[in-house]
């Protein structure tokens, strides 16, 4: 699903993004509700930020990547945590691209996510390459999502990957 985010582009630097686990739902500009084999997933666009809410029989999980006032947790390169009966893994990196490469990559990602039944992309008025996009799926009993946060004025694309799945006892490995 592709939407235009009718708001000012406020998260203007990749370095301003922070990560949080377990936050309450924040006001969203666009949402996509998904059912992935028994898991209820809500993809939420918060401007140039995202929030994913996961509800399943075993519990719930909330991930937020946004400019969070007063947050002391910058965007980490990686996190692995136990959340109830789940293993939660998060990874992030920043791609810095030339202006031409950035435009092509932005168009490619927006098209990929907009045409996917489990994708949500939001573009900002005034800049066709300023966007935030989320894409989710379920594989091998795990819920996974990827996100892209575009900062065309810096030529930066923040890419995240998350996996949430049932904890596997060490004896079974």
């Amino acid at each position: 699903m592709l939407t235009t985010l009718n708001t000012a582009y406020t998260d203007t630097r990749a370095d301003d993004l922070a990560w949080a686990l377990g936050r309450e739902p924040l006001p969203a500009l666009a949402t996509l509700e998904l059912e992935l084999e028994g898991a209820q997933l809500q993809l939420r666009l918060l401007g140039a930020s995202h929030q994913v809410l996961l509800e399943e029989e075993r519990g719930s999980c909330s991930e937020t990547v946004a400019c969070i006032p007063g947050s002391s947790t910058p965007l980490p390169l990686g996190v692995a945590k136990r959340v109830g009966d789940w293993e939660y893994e998060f990874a992030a990196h920043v791609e810095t691209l030339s202006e031409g490469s950035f435009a092509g990559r932005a168009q490619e990602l927006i098209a990929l996510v907009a045409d996917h039944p489990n994708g949500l992309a939001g573009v900002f008025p005034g800049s066709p390459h300023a966007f935030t996009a989320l894409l989710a799926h379920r594989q091998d009993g795990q819920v996974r999502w990827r996100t892209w946060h575009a900062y065309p004025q810096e030529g930066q694309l923040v890419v995240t990957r998350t996996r949430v799945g049932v904890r596997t006892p060490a004896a079974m490995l």
Side-chain angles (χ1 to χ4, degrees):
M1 180 170 96
L2 178 63
T3 187
T4 298
L5 301 173
N6 293 316
T7 187
Y9 187 55
T10 57
D11 294 353
T12 57
R13 294 183 48 233
D15 290 343
D16 291 340
L17 287 176
W19 168 86
L21 193 60
R23 289 185 67 100
E24 292 296 316
L26 297 171
L29 299 172
T31 61
L32 178 63
E33 305 263 348
L34 300 171
E35 156 108 31
L36 300 176
E37 299 174 26
Q40 304 300 317
L41 197 64
Q42 187 178 88
L43 306 179
R44 303 168 59 83
L45 293 177
L46 316 173
S49 314
H50 83 262
Q51 188 173 49
V52 176
L53 307 176
L54 170 63
E55 293 281 338
E56 199 177 45
E57 183 179 295
R58 288 182 168 84
S60 62
C61 178
S62 165
E63 171 189 282
T64 306
V65 172
C67 293
I68 303 170
S71 175
S72 60
T73 306
L75 191 64
L77 294 177
V79 174
K81 294 184 86 125
R82 184 173 179 183
V83 178
D85 289 339
W86 291 333
E87 292 290 337
Y88 169 90
E89 292 180 4
F90 172 87
H93 72 276
V94 177
E95 296 176 13
T96 301
L97 304 163
S98 69
E99 188 174 330
S101 294
F102 190 93
R105 182 84 170 123
Q107 290 172 344
E108 172 186 280
L109 289 169
I110 291 168
L112 168 75
V113 175
D115 292 340
H116 196 285
N118 298 342
L120 175 62
V123 295
F124 292 87
S127 176
H129 305 125
F131 72 95
T132 302
L134 299 93
L135 184 61
H137 70 282
R138 186 162 185 138
Q139 177 183 347
D140 301 327
Q142 300 174 339
V143 178
R144 300 168 186 247
W145 58 88
R146 297 177 64 190
T147 73
W148 299 269
H149 302 252
Y151 297 91
Q153 72 283 4
E154 296 182 323
Q156 292 187 323
L157 187 64
V158 177
V159 181
T160 74
R161 291 179 187 258
T162 302
R163 180 191 67 81
V164 180
V166 176
R167 184 174 161 83
T168 306
M172 296 179 71
L173 294 177

